[in-house]
């Protein structure tokens, strides 16, 4: 009795081993924060989920190869012998792939001595007999021989279906005869020899004519030309052997039990735990249907002071307080708060801020030092509270900063991601209530209810994140450095930096004249005017008109990038003029013209945003505008710095740590020579120059010291001889000599770097003096360039990260002393190792003494074995004040 296709159940058989390899090599080397490579697991898992979601099979099984020889190896020892061993980054993922399959409640089929192809072929035939339509999930062309009216192939990578028709189009024969073609053409992937000299086209033609290899060999006299006949005659055994090796065994000892392969519900909790461990945030979210998300607690909307008082009095004493602020979208900076949701002890209230009369009990709650206020992005919230005139008193916990310490390599630290990973909660699933008519408040009900849900989630996150930070060894860093730093950053942002707008406007006109003059010079050198900003026109001038030799070709033509122009500048004046034009044009557009547009009308100052959760090393960054990137070199760059000024009767005070990273290198390595240099107050760059050039101090030139300085900082950043040679314009052999000499003279530094790399490979991360972790997943990469990058990061991260920790502690200590002793002195910017202050004229000497004392004392506080040194500068503008 024949079963119609519409009544047949569908069984999907996944070629698991093949898809592990495809995922590993197709996807970039994804890693989790602990440094484990996860791309193969991710690609394999998404394939499974896609098949279940989009194809809804009745049955599903995953088939894997077992390690060890098979019957084919016994028949032909060279079978697959050329294949390299499985990459380390892939090997470590195999157990996780099996855990994924188990969590999806799918049967795994594997059998020693048999390949996955044979098991799939056998299961397919037996499933057909049991009344199933079979879909083989693979990209392997060998599987075409298994196609029948009831068995198809699906390749999810190409989203392509293959049936008997496609096989005939591809090979010109029925599926059963594909193996005959493969016997002749061989398969280099599996090291199947075939008949040397016969390719795919010839093999297809021969089998189409003769039907099988046996028939072909019996009728060699009918084969032309003579050369082809000779090849077949000489390699007849190879042809038969190759066909045997390529033929899939559909009678292997494996049974098809329909009940075993029926699709079953996944073990959702196992999948969630696994996805959290692997940090598959997107896949984790996909496991959270809205119906499964806990409903937010009912939110009471506060409309009068009595309701506010009752809500506050009803909260359990000392419980964490989750705070979710709603901000306007009117472009205010700092943000303008419209309302907030508060949750503590399971009770939630929403407070709109259009009426202030009932805010007194809420203000008291925000001032309550017995409970931790839990916020996402505390800095933005503090700026908004300050705008309202309501201080938010500590202790506070910023879940964004907590997640940053736990996952420093993550690009963003959105609350939705954190809630999903930590609590399995999908934020935004709250349904709007009709409790309050929307007309009463500007905020719509859906936003209010979502804020209520979020404040409840924030309160729940606090103890979990605190426990994780403690387990990682980062809790002290979080509580004593990162959290106290947030109010200091708020103050820096609020203080702002005064800008000489008129001065920049004058500079803009001057630059305009210079650029016009440069364009005339460029046109003269080029033999006529052209569009300088057009790479195509520039390339035509350089390589066609002037006849210069192209350096590098791109997809769109010959390159005219900065490196190319720098190389061409030695051949002709025009490339050098183009570089100068580009440089001045960029200064004008990026700084001279742009900065005045960013001055706040209310304060007449630039107010940057100091970012605490961006750089994986722990460094602060600056955006909108980036004031850490103001040019420090060149005439025009220095004149831009002159536009950053102190107000009347004030000065700028700049305090810059001297050689902070080499000092930390000395402490971490405990190199006797390096420690001695700093302990005696000597110049490390001079000392290094004396060593690598083998000269006394009196014979060291400024250029020698410059080379030595580059060597020292290159060592800190794990520079290669090639990188050093490029930086200072010397040969690679000289660069290698300098680096080797440094390591000979400072042997403990080499030992530290080797130790850092070894420890990072073992642990998956580096740590700073204060316990800041930075995962280095690149060390586990199969790509040699990525591994080399990981080694440089492992060398540098403990040093640069410790410097970042140190400057943050300095900011805290200086800020505390200023508030106590010199409250009129303002900290207005941090630029890596430099702090900038705005000081009343009469307090300069006191401020210099206080700042130097606190910044240098940080070394003693942290137990550094070398003293810290701070250089100070004072002036009416940033250029003049820079030490």
């Amino acid at each position: 009795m024949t079963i119609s296709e519409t009544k047949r159940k569908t069984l999907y058989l996944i070629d698991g081993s093949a898809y592990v390899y495809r995922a590993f090599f197709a996807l970039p080397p994804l890693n989790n924060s602990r440094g484990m490579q996860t791309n193969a697991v991710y690609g394999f898992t998404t394939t499974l989920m896609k098949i279940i979601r989009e194809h809804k099979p009745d049955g599903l099984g995953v088939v894997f190869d077992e390690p060890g020889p098979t019957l084919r190896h016994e028949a032909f020892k060279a079978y697959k012998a050329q294949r390299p061993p499985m990459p380390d980054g892939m090997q470590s993922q195999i157990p996780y792939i099996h855990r994924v399959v188990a969590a999806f409640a799918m049967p795994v089929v594997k059998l020693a001595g048999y390949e996955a192809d044979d098991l799939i072929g056998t299961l397919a035939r037996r499933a057909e007999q049991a009344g199933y339509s079979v879909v083989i999930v693979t990209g392997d062309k060998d599987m075409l021989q298994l196609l029948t009216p009831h068995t198809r192939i699906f390749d999810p990578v190409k989203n392509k279906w293959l049936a008997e028709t496609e096989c005939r189009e591809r090979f010109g024969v029925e599926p059963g005869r594909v193996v005959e073609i493969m016997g002749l053409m061989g398969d280099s992937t599996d090291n199947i020899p075939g008949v040397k000299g016969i390719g795919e086209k010839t093999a297809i033609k021969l089998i189409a004519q003769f039907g099988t290899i046996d028939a072909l060999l019996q009728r060699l006299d009918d084969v032309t030309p003579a050369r082809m006949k000779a090849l077949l005659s000489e390699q007849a055994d190879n042809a038969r052997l190759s066909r045997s090796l390529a033929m899939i065994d559909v009678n292997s000892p494996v049974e098809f039990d329909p009940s075993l392969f029926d699709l079953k519900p996944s073990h959702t909790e196992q999948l969630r735990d696994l996805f959290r461990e692997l940090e598959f945030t997107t896949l984790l979210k996909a496991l959270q249907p809205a119906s499964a998300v806990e409903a937010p607690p009912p939110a009471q909307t506060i409309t009068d002071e009595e309701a506010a008082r009752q809500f506050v009095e009803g909260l359990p004493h000392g419980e964490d307080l989750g705070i979710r602020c709603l901000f306007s979208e009117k472009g205010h900076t700092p943000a303008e708060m419209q309302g907030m949701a508060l949750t503590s002890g399971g009770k939630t209230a929403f407070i709109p801020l259009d009426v202030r009369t009932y805010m007194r009990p809420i203000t008291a709650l925000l001032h309550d030092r017995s409970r931790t206020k839990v916020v996402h992005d505390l800095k933005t919230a503090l700026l908004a509270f300050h705008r309202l005139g309501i201080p938010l008193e500590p202790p506070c916990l910023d879940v964004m900063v907590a997640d940053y310490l736990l996952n420093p390599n993550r690009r963003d630290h959105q609350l939705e991601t954190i809630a999903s990973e930590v609590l399995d909660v999908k934020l935004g699933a709250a349904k709007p209530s009709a409790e309050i008519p929307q007309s009463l408040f500007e905020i719509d009900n859906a936003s209010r209810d979502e804020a209520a849900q979020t404040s409840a989630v924030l309160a729940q996150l606090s103890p979990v994140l605190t426990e994780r930070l403690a387990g990682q060894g980062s809790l002290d860093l979080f509580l004593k450095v990162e959290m106290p730093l947030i109010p200091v950053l708020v103050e820096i942002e609020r203080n702002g930096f005064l800008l000489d707008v008129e001065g920049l406007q004058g500079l803009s006109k001057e630059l305009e004249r210079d650029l016009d003059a440069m364009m005339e010079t460029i046109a003269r050198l080029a033999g006529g005017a052209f569009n300088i900003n057009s790479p195509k026109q520039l390339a035509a001038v350089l390589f066609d008109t002037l006849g210069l030799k192209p350096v590098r070709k791109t997809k769109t033509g010959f390159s005219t990038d900065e490196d190319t122009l720098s190389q061409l500048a030695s051949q002709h004046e025009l490339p050098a003029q183009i570089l100068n034009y580009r440089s001045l044009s960029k200064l004008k557009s990026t700084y001279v013209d742009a900065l005045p547009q960013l001055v706040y009308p209310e304060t007449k100052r630039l107010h940057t945003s100091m970012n605490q959760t961006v750089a994986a090393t722990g460094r602060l960054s600056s955006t909108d505008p980036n004031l850490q990137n103001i040019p420090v070199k060149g005439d025009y760059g220095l004149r831009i710095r002159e536009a950053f000024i102190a107000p009347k009767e004030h000065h700028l005070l700049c305090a810059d740590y001297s050689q902070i990273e080499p000092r930390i290198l000395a402490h971490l390595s405990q190199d006797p020579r390096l420690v001695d240099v700093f302990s005696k107050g000597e110049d490390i760059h001079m000392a290094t120059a004396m060593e690598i050039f083998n000269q006394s101090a009196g014979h060291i030139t400024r250029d020698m010291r410059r080379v030595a300085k580059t060597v020292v900082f290159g060592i800190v950043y794990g520079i290669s001889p090639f990188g050093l040679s490029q930086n200072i314009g010397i040969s690679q052999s000289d660069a290698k000599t300098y680096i080797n000499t440094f390591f000979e003279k400072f042997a403990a530094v080499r030992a530290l770097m080797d130790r850092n790399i070894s420890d990072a490979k073992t642990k998956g991360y580096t740590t700073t003096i204060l316990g800041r972790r930075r995962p280095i997943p690149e060390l586990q990469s199969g790509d040699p360039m990525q591994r080399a990058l990981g080694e440089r990061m492992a060398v540098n991260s403990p040093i640069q990260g410790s410097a970042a920790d140190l400057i943050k502690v300095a900011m805290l200590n200086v800020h505390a002393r200023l508030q106590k002793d010199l409250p009129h002195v303002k900290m207005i910017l941090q630029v890596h190792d430099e702090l900038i202050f705005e000081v009343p004229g009469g307090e300069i000497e006191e401020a210099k003494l206080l700042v130097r004392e606190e910044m240098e004392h940080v070394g003693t506080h942290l137990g550094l074995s070398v003293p810290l040194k701070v250089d100070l500068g004072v002036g009416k503008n940033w250029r003049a004040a820079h030490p």
Side-chain angles (χ1 to χ4, degrees):
M1 179 178 172
T2 305
I3 302 173
S4 69
E5 283 301 309
T6 56
K7 293 183 179 179
R8 283 179 174 266
K9 289 184 175 182
T10 305
L11 171 70
Y12 277 63
L13 296 172
I14 298 174
D15 187 353
S17 297
Y19 266 97
V20 171
Y21 270 91
R22 289 188 82 178
F24 181 81
F25 289 106
L27 295 177
L30 307 174
N31 299 276
N32 65 11
S33 62
R34 296 184 311 282
M36 176 193 160
Q37 195 165 335
T38 58
N39 57 339
V41 192
Y42 185 82
F44 185 87
T45 304
T46 53
T47 297
L48 289 186
M49 295 179 76
K50 177 183 173 75
I51 289 170
I52 294 170
R53 181 179 64 252
E54 297 181 5
H55 300 274
K56 298 178 175 58
D58 299 296
L60 198 153
V62 185
V63 187
F64 288 104
D65 289 322
E66 274 278 72
T70 65
L71 296 175
R72 290 181 180 85
H73 289 93
E74 294 177 13
F76 182 54
K77 290 184 179 180
Y79 179 66
K80 294 187 178 182
Q82 88 291 0
R83 287 193 178 183
M86 184 180 291
D88 293 339
M90 181 177 167
Q91 183 71 53
S92 62
Q93 298 183 64
I94 299 300
Y96 285 90
I97 288 169
H98 286 290
R99 284 175 61 187
V100 167
V101 175
F104 274 112
M106 297 174 184
V108 170
V109 182
K110 52 186 179 178
L111 186 62
Y114 290 85
E115 293 185 47
D117 292 11
D118 301 318
L119 304 179
I120 288 171
T122 303
L123 290 170
R125 291 292 180 263
R126 292 179 182 170
E128 279 187 23
Q129 295 165 8
Y132 281 77
S133 289
V134 178
V135 176
I136 300 172
V137 182
T138 186
D140 190 350
K141 69 178 185 297
D142 296 6
M143 295 284 197
L144 289 171
Q145 62 186 281
L146 296 176
L147 294 172
T148 71
H150 302 306
T151 294
R152 294 178 296 160
I153 288 173
F154 174 59
D155 183 348
V157 173
K158 297 179 180 178
N159 198 27
K160 188 175 181 181
W161 289 88
L162 300 172
E164 290 180 302
T165 301
E166 285 73 25
C167 178
R168 293 188 197 99
E169 291 173 357
R170 170 80 166 79
F171 287 111
V173 297
E174 301 299 317
R177 288 197 286 164
V178 168
V179 71
E180 307 287 344
I181 293 172
M182 295 184 68
L184 292 178
M185 61 183 279
D187 186 350
S188 60
T189 304
D190 292 341
N191 209 32
I192 296 175
V195 177
K196 288 181 173 57
I198 294 181
E200 182 177 317
K201 288 183 180 180
T202 304
I204 290 173
K205 182 179 177 181
L206 289 171
I207 297 303
Q209 180 181 353
F210 293 97
T212 66
I213 287 175
D214 292 333
L216 170 63
L217 295 175
Q218 289 171 5
R219 297 169 54 193
L220 282 179
D221 291 341
D222 296 336
V223 175
T224 57
R227 175 181 168 278
M228 186 71 62
K229 176 180 177 181
L231 288 174
L232 290 166
S233 176
E234 292 165 6
Q235 301 179 58
D237 289 342
N238 267 1
R240 295 187 185 96
L241 171 64
S242 297
R243 177 182 59 186
S244 173
L245 294 172
M247 186 175 294
I248 293 173
D249 183 359
V250 295
N251 292 298
S252 57
V254 60
E255 297 299 325
F256 173 68
D257 180 351
S259 64
L260 181 66
F261 288 86
D262 282 348
L263 193 64
K264 300 172 182 65
S266 300
H267 303 306
T268 308
E269 285 305 314
Q270 287 183 29
L271 282 175
R272 284 178 179 165
D273 290 344
L274 192 52
F275 290 173
R276 272 196 294 270
E277 182 180 349
L278 295 168
E279 297 170 15
F280 291 166
T281 305
T282 304
L283 300 186
L284 187 60
K285 289 179 181 177
L287 291 178
Q288 298 169 325
S291 59
V293 178
E294 295 180 14
Q300 173 191 359
T301 300
I302 303 294
T303 57
D304 56 64
E305 186 167 351
E306 178 58 24
R309 185 185 61 77
Q310 290 180 5
F311 169 71
V312 173
E313 290 179 353
L315 298 178
H317 179 73
E319 288 281 330
D320 290 347
L321 178 68
I323 305 175
R324 178 60 163 185
C325 304
L326 288 184
F327 301 111
S328 69
E329 297 181 0
K330 297 176 183 177
H332 288 288
T333 307
E336 184 177 23
M337 199 187 306
Q338 288 190 306
M340 68 179 110
L342 306 175
T343 298
S344 185
K347 296 182 178 181
T348 301
F350 184 81
I351 297 92
L353 299 180
D354 59 334
V355 181
R356 301 290 177 81
T357 56
Y358 55 81
M359 279 299 295
R360 280 174 292 189
I362 302 301
T363 301
L365 178 63
L366 298 175
H367 287 184
D368 184 355
R369 287 180 174 263
S370 74
R371 61 177 80 240
T372 299
K373 293 83 181 175
V374 188
V375 186
H376 180 267
D377 191 1
L378 177 63
K379 179 164 66 71
T380 298
L382 288 178
L383 286 164
F385 275 117
H386 186 272
R387 189 185 184 104
L388 289 171
I390 306 171
L392 183 65
E393 297 291 341
C396 296
L397 186 147
D398 188 337
V399 301
M400 182 173 75
V401 176
D403 186 68
Y404 164 69
L405 286 184
L406 293 168
N407 302 287
N409 287 346
R410 182 175 280 165
R411 290 183 179 179
D412 63 68
H413 303 274
Q414 295 180 1
L415 181 57
E416 290 77 6
T417 301
I418 301 168
S420 175
E421 284 190 0
V422 178
L423 299 177
D424 281 345
V425 170
K426 181 183 283 187
L427 288 175
K431 294 181 180 179
S433 68
E435 178 191 344
I436 299 296
Q438 187 173 330
S439 59
L440 187 58
F441 306 114
E442 290 184 11
I443 301 170
D444 63 87
N445 294 333
S447 297
R448 188 197 62 211
D449 288 354
E450 189 172 322
Q453 181 201 24
T454 302
S455 68
V457 165
L458 286 166
Q460 294 174 53
L461 281 170
S462 175
V464 183
L465 293 176
T466 301
E467 183 180 351
R468 291 187 180 184
L469 287 167
Q472 181 177 280
S474 305
L475 187 58
D476 270 0
L477 176 65
F478 177 72
L479 295 176
K480 296 178 181 179
V481 178
E482 297 291 357
M483 289 309 302
L485 185 67
I486 296 174
V488 179
L489 299 180
V490 167
E491 190 168 310
I492 289 174
E493 291 188 16
R494 286 183 48 243
N495 287 337
F497 210 139
L498 190 62
L499 191 71
D500 180 5
V501 173
E502 289 184 4
L504 283 179
Q505 288 170 343
L507 184 58
S508 179
K509 292 176 182 177
E510 190 177 330
L511 274 168
E512 189 78 42
R513 290 192 296 269
D514 285 356
L515 288 168
D516 287 345
M518 291 178 73
M519 285 187 69
E520 291 180 8
T521 301
I522 288 168
R524 176 176 54 78
L525 291 169
F530 68 98
N531 183 355
I532 297 173
N533 297 314
S534 166
K536 187 174 181 180
Q537 292 187 33
L538 176 57
V541 169
L542 293 173
F543 309 123
D544 297 336
T545 305
L546 300 181
L548 300 181
K549 186 177 180 181
V551 175
R552 184 167 54 88
K553 193 169 185 179
T554 67
K555 292 180 180 179
T556 56
F558 292 118
S559 172
T560 58
D561 63 11
E562 186 174 340
D563 286 343
T564 298
L565 293 176
S566 296
Q567 293 181 55
L568 294 174
S570 61
Q571 302 176 36
H572 197 278
E573 186 183 348
L574 179 63
Q577 288 290 341
I578 296 288
L579 285 172
N580 289 336
Y581 180 88
R582 286 181 179 178
S583 176
L584 287 189
S585 181
K586 183 177 180 180
L587 282 178
K588 184 176 184 297
S589 61
T590 305
Y591 303 108
V592 178
D593 293 340
L595 290 175
Q597 305 301 316
L598 300 174
V599 169
Y600 281 33
E602 301 95 332
T603 65
K604 311 298 182 186
R605 289 170 173 254
L606 286 172
H607 296 266
T608 186
S609 178
M610 300 298 296
N611 305 309
Q612 195 176 0
T613 60
V614 173
T617 57
R619 274 189 167 184
L620 297 171
S621 66
S622 163
T623 51
D624 304 319
N626 181 357
L627 297 187
Q628 293 183 338
N629 205 31
I630 302 300
V632 72
K633 294 180 180 179
D635 180 55
Y636 279 114
L638 292 172
R639 290 179 65 185
I640 291 170
R641 288 209 161 209
E642 288 179 358
F644 289 82
I645 58 175
K648 288 182 180 180
E649 300 181 0
H650 286 70
H651 289 83
L652 296 181
L653 168 63
C654 293
D656 191 3
Y657 275 120
S658 172
Q659 302 170 352
I660 185 65
E661 290 181 342
R663 291 173 193 270
I664 290 172
L665 178 64
H667 168 75
L668 293 175
S669 69
Q670 286 298 297
D671 184 274
R673 176 79 176 98
L674 209 53
V675 171
D676 188 57
V677 166
F678 288 119
S679 298
K680 291 179 177 177
E682 296 176 2
D683 176 4
I684 182 58
H685 305 318
M686 174 62 77
T688 303
M690 292 166 62
E691 298 289 7
I692 65 175
F693 292 109
N694 195 27
Q695 296 285 339
S696 63
H699 290 88
I700 298 299
T701 64
R702 288 184 64 183
D703 195 54
M704 287 176 168
R705 185 185 179 279
R706 178 185 64 83
V707 169
K709 181 177 180 179
T710 308
V711 170
V712 172
F713 282 100
I715 295 293
V716 168
Y717 283 84
I719 201 167
S720 66
F722 173 76
L724 182 61
S725 70
Q726 294 293 105
N727 280 355
I728 56 180
I730 60 174
S731 68
Q732 282 195 57
S733 61
D734 284 347
K736 186 175 182 180
T737 299
Y738 292 162
I739 292 173
N740 289 343
T741 302
F742 181 92
F743 284 136
E744 286 172 12
K745 302 298 182 180
F746 303 97
V749 172
R750 173 81 271 175
L752 170 71
M753 294 179 172
D754 291 341
R755 189 163 64 248
N756 283 349
I757 294 170
S758 175
D759 287 350
K761 285 180 177 177
T762 302
K763 299 175 182 176
Y765 59 86
T766 61
T767 54
T768 66
I769 292 172
L770 292 186
R772 182 186 303 278
R773 283 193 185 185
R774 185 191 184 175
I776 313 285
E778 290 81 1
L779 288 169
Q780 306 301 323
S781 173
D783 180 353
M785 292 183 67
Q786 282 291 305
R787 284 200 306 275
L789 171 63
E791 291 184 358
R792 292 195 296 274
M793 291 164 65
V795 165
N796 172 252
S797 291
I799 302 167
Q800 189 180 139
S802 293
D805 292 348
L806 190 147
I807 190 73
K808 287 179 177 178
V809 175
M811 292 171 73
L812 292 172
N813 294 353
V814 171
H815 181 264
R817 276 285 305 279
L818 288 177
Q819 283 190 317
K820 177 175 174 286
D821 298 339
L822 295 173
H824 298 298
V825 176
K826 297 178 179 178
M827 190 186 302
I828 60 173
L829 191 61
Q830 185 261 22
V831 183
H832 305 317
D833 306 328
E834 177 183 6
L835 296 179
I836 305 170
F837 305 87
E838 194 175 275
V839 187
E843 298 183 356
I844 282 291
E845 293 307 317
E846 290 177 85
K848 286 169 65 176
L849 186 65
L850 183 153
V851 169
R852 170 172 275 147
E853 184 178 296
E854 288 300 330
M855 289 181 70
E856 292 185 349
H857 182 67
V858 169
T860 306
H861 175 71
L862 298 182
L864 292 188
S865 51
V866 297
L868 296 179
K869 182 174 180 286
V870 173
D871 294 326
L872 299 175
V874 176
K876 294 295 292 182
N877 62 63
W878 196 357
R879 176 182 182 177
H882 188 73

